[in-house]
Amino acid sequence: MGRPKKKPGYDSEKIMEQFTNCIVEAYMSGAGGGSVNSLRQISEQFGITLMKTRKILITVGVYHTEISEQVISLWENGKNISEIMQETGLSRSSVHSYLPYTKMIYNADELSLYAERCRLYRERKQAVEKLHCCIAKSFELLENHLWETLKLFSGYSFTTVKGLRFHYTVNGNEILIDRKKKAITRSSVDIALKEAMEMKGIVNGPKKLNVFGASYLYSIFLRFGLIKMERE
């Protein structure tokens, strides 16, 4: 008998296709928008570098900026990397990051990471969708599912309205914020949720939530689509 495969049924091409699709979906759903901060958030979410994120999006044709179009145009017109560097002022690694992949290079450990990140991305997406369904049912159901969703987003990179990035973990009935080691209780989350629902989801600023840790909860609620700011 031959030696058994280390990973039976392990389809690397399928995993890479799913991984790429998840990144594109996250970008196109609004987590992108072309800014450095949004690309960085996607990079953290999927455990890859910002340059790799951008390169994947360029490869599938969904990322377009003036500089990316310039680099691709120069390349298609026969310019080599050094010539593109000289004309654009970009570093060698930056030039490469603006060119589409011809073949993605990866190893078994990366594939395992990519598969796990795709699974987590899908679970988070489904949890947020379920939250929206709960709004029309009962507040108790919404409270309970919100807490389960918060657990799923542990370690996710959020950004406050002032531009401060933060992560959190869930410990028992508390959310532990990595910035200044703040802890937000589940009761505070429920109060903030109730305030948000009473305002029909239109919440113009964290202070409107009237709880400790509002600046963090506000950003989390925005990400979950539970609230939005009223347009002027």
Side-chain angles (χ1 to χ4, degrees):
M1 291 180 65
R3 186 176 180 180
K5 292 183 179 180
K6 188 175 181 181
K7 293 184 181 292
Y10 198 68
D11 191 333
S12 58
E13 288 188 6
K14 184 176 181 179
I15 289 174
M16 290 310 301
E17 181 182 358
Q18 291 174 342
F19 185 65
T20 298
N21 289 341
C22 285
I23 290 174
V24 171
E25 186 178 301
Y27 179 75
M28 298 299 289
S29 67
S35 74
V36 172
N37 285 337
S38 57
L39 289 183
R40 184 175 289 110
Q41 186 178 60
I42 293 173
S43 301
E44 288 189 6
Q45 186 176 352
F46 290 98
I48 58 177
T49 66
L50 187 149
M51 286 186 174
K52 191 166 190 175
T53 299
R54 185 168 61 204
K55 194 174 181 74
I56 289 172
L57 294 171
I58 287 172
T59 301
V60 297
V62 299
Y63 180 91
H64 302 280
T65 64
E66 185 176 344
I67 189 64
S68 71
E69 296 294 327
Q70 182 186 11
V71 170
I72 292 172
S73 177
L74 290 169
W75 179 257
E76 290 177 344
N77 282 292
K79 298 287 186 180
N80 61 35
I81 298 297
S82 297
E83 290 171 328
I84 296 174
M85 288 170 60
Q86 184 174 6
E87 188 156 340
T88 61
L90 295 171
S91 66
R92 183 172 296 274
S93 60
S94 291
V95 170
H96 279 291
S97 75
Y98 282 110
L99 292 172
Y101 279 112
T102 53
K103 182 180 180 181
M104 286 190 70
I105 300 173
Y106 49 83
N107 56 43
D109 289 339
E110 285 178 324
L111 284 175
S112 178
L113 171 66
Y114 297 163
E116 172 61 20
R117 289 290 186 259
C118 282
R119 181 195 63 78
L120 183 57
Y121 169 77
R122 295 298 184 196
E123 286 186 0
R124 286 170 169 170
K125 183 173 183 288
Q126 289 170 5
V128 170
E129 290 172 351
K130 187 176 177 180
L131 264 182
H132 294 178
C133 293
C134 291
I135 293 174
K137 295 179 179 179
S138 75
F139 184 75
E140 183 180 358
L141 186 64
L142 180 60
E143 277 183 325
N144 291 333
H145 187 60
L146 172 58
W147 194 253
E148 294 306 309
T149 305
L150 286 166
K151 291 178 183 177
L152 268 179
F153 275 80
S154 178
Y156 184 88
S157 178
F158 292 90
T159 305
T160 68
V161 291
K162 292 184 177 180
L164 301 175
R165 295 169 64 236
F166 69 94
H167 306 79
Y168 69 76
T169 55
V170 177
N171 183 19
N173 285 319
E174 289 186 332
I175 298 173
L176 306 178
I177 307 294
D178 64 344
R179 295 189 64 86
K180 299 182 180 180
K181 307 298 181 182
K182 289 188 175 183
I184 303 172
T185 64
R186 183 168 181 171
S187 60
S188 292
V189 174
D190 292 342
I191 291 170
L193 179 62
K194 185 177 181 181
E195 292 282 350
M197 293 302 98
E198 287 179 351
M199 289 183 277
K200 308 298 184 183
I202 305 297
V203 187
N204 292 313
K207 291 182 180 180
K208 297 289 185 178
L209 296 178
N210 294 317
V211 293
F212 174 79
S215 60
Y216 301 108
L217 292 177
Y218 188 80
S219 300
I220 294 169
F221 285 7
L222 278 174
R223 172 61 183 83
F224 293 173
L226 291 172
I227 63 175
K228 59 183 178 180
M229 290 180 284
E230 189 174 24
R231 295 181 179 179
E232 296 181 356

